[in-house]
Amino acid sequence: EAGVAQSPRYKIIEKRQSVAFWCNPISGHATLYWYQQILGQGPKLLIQFQNNGVVDDSQLPKDRFSAERLKGVDSTLKIQPAKLEDSAVYLCASSLDWTALEAFFGQGTRLTVV
Amino acid sequence: QQQVKQSPQSLIVQKGGIPIINCAYENTAFDYFPWYQQFPGKGPALLIAIRPDVSEKKEGRFTISFNKSAKQFSLHIMDSQPGDSATYFCAGRSGAGSYQLTFGKGTKLSVIP
């Protein structure tokens, strides 16, 4: 079974630039999550989709972050403009349903803002 | 507000030792407590999980002990191996209506031969 695919693996940008991350969840998984993992901390939920609808985006900094899930499958997370404090690993995860009993994570995208 | 406090931040044990990682939670609405294991350059992967109506759960060399009254739970790794070297995260799942995981800050475990 193919896992959660993310790209790119690494990205370095200057502050105030924009960046986008892509995620392809496990086939058939209805729920998709984007997490931010700052070095030395646990993953923090940014946004949760159920199919192509947003379930929770209460911790998403909406002035600069946006996310969409196209046709309930792939998802993109965008940051515009980036700040230094956005440097982190952005993890995409998916689960079969909305109960979050098991989330399958991708390898993440390591973003460095300089 | 940090809802799941995890300790220690790092842990070094010798092969065969029994590392113990502790977590405490504040949110009484949590109804499910998973542990995730993360190797460098990889995403976290579910290791073992427990519900609050159970005091202990074992899967292979991994055991969760749960104390509902104290709002604490811990992970024990029996006969630890160098391959267990990873970062471990505890988490709590909020209940019905909005199932979300809140993670602790993680414990970096090193098992030396």
Side-chain angles (χ1 to χ4, degrees), chain A residues 9 33 35 37 40-45 48 55-56 58-59 91 98-107, chain B residues 9 32 34 36 38 41-46 49 51 89 93 96-106:
Chain A
R9 287 295 311 278
Y33 314 83
Y35 286 87
Q37 186 175 20
Q41 296 187 20
K44 170 190 166 186
L45 181 67
Q48 177 181 348
V55 174
D56 191 299
S58 58
Q59 298 191 85
L91 293 163
W98 63 300
T99 61
L101 290 177
E102 182 170 10
F104 293 84
F105 285 82
Q107 290 185 299
Chain B
Q9 187 175 358
Y32 174 74
Y36 278 76
Q38 185 175 29
K42 304 293 186 182
L46 180 66
R51 293 188 184 272
F89 295 95
R93 185 190 76 164
S98 179
Y99 289 116
Q100 295 178 8
L101 294 177
T102 299
F103 287 87
K105 288 190 172 184

Side-chain angles (χ1 to χ4, degrees), chain B residues 32-97:
Chain B
Y32 174 74
F33 299 87
W35 284 88
Y36 278 76
Q37 180 188 54
Q38 185 175 29
F39 293 104
K42 304 293 186 182
L46 180 66
L47 183 64
I48 185 173
I50 196 168
R51 293 188 184 272
D53 54 346
V54 176
S55 62
E56 185 177 277
K57 184 174 182 180
K58 291 183 180 181
E59 285 187 4
R61 296 184 293 108
F62 300 92
T63 299
I64 301 177
S65 298
F66 191 89
N67 185 328
K68 187 174 181 178
S69 61
K71 293 189 287 185
Q72 295 176 349
F73 57 110
S74 60
L75 177 70
H76 301 230
I77 305 176
M78 308 301 289
D79 187 27
S80 59
Q81 301 296 313
D84 297 329
S85 297
T87 299
Y88 293 81
F89 295 95
C90 61
R93 185 190 76 164
S94 56

Side-chain angles (χ1 to χ4, degrees), chain A residues 51-102:
Chain A
N51 296 312
N52 61 351
V54 175
V55 174
D56 191 299
D57 62 357
S58 58
Q59 298 191 85
L60 187 74
K62 298 180 189 63
D63 58 334
R64 298 183 301 106
F65 286 64
S66 64
E68 61 179 0
R69 189 177 184 192
L70 305 173
K71 300 179 181 179
V73 182
D74 292 4
S75 178
T76 57
L77 176 69
K78 297 179 181 179
I79 307 175
Q80 182 180 12
K83 293 185 176 181
L84 296 176
E85 58 261 35
D86 297 332
S87 295
V89 175
Y90 290 85
L91 293 163
C92 178
S94 68
S95 62
L96 191 60
D97 57 31
W98 63 300
T99 61
L101 290 177
E102 182 170 10

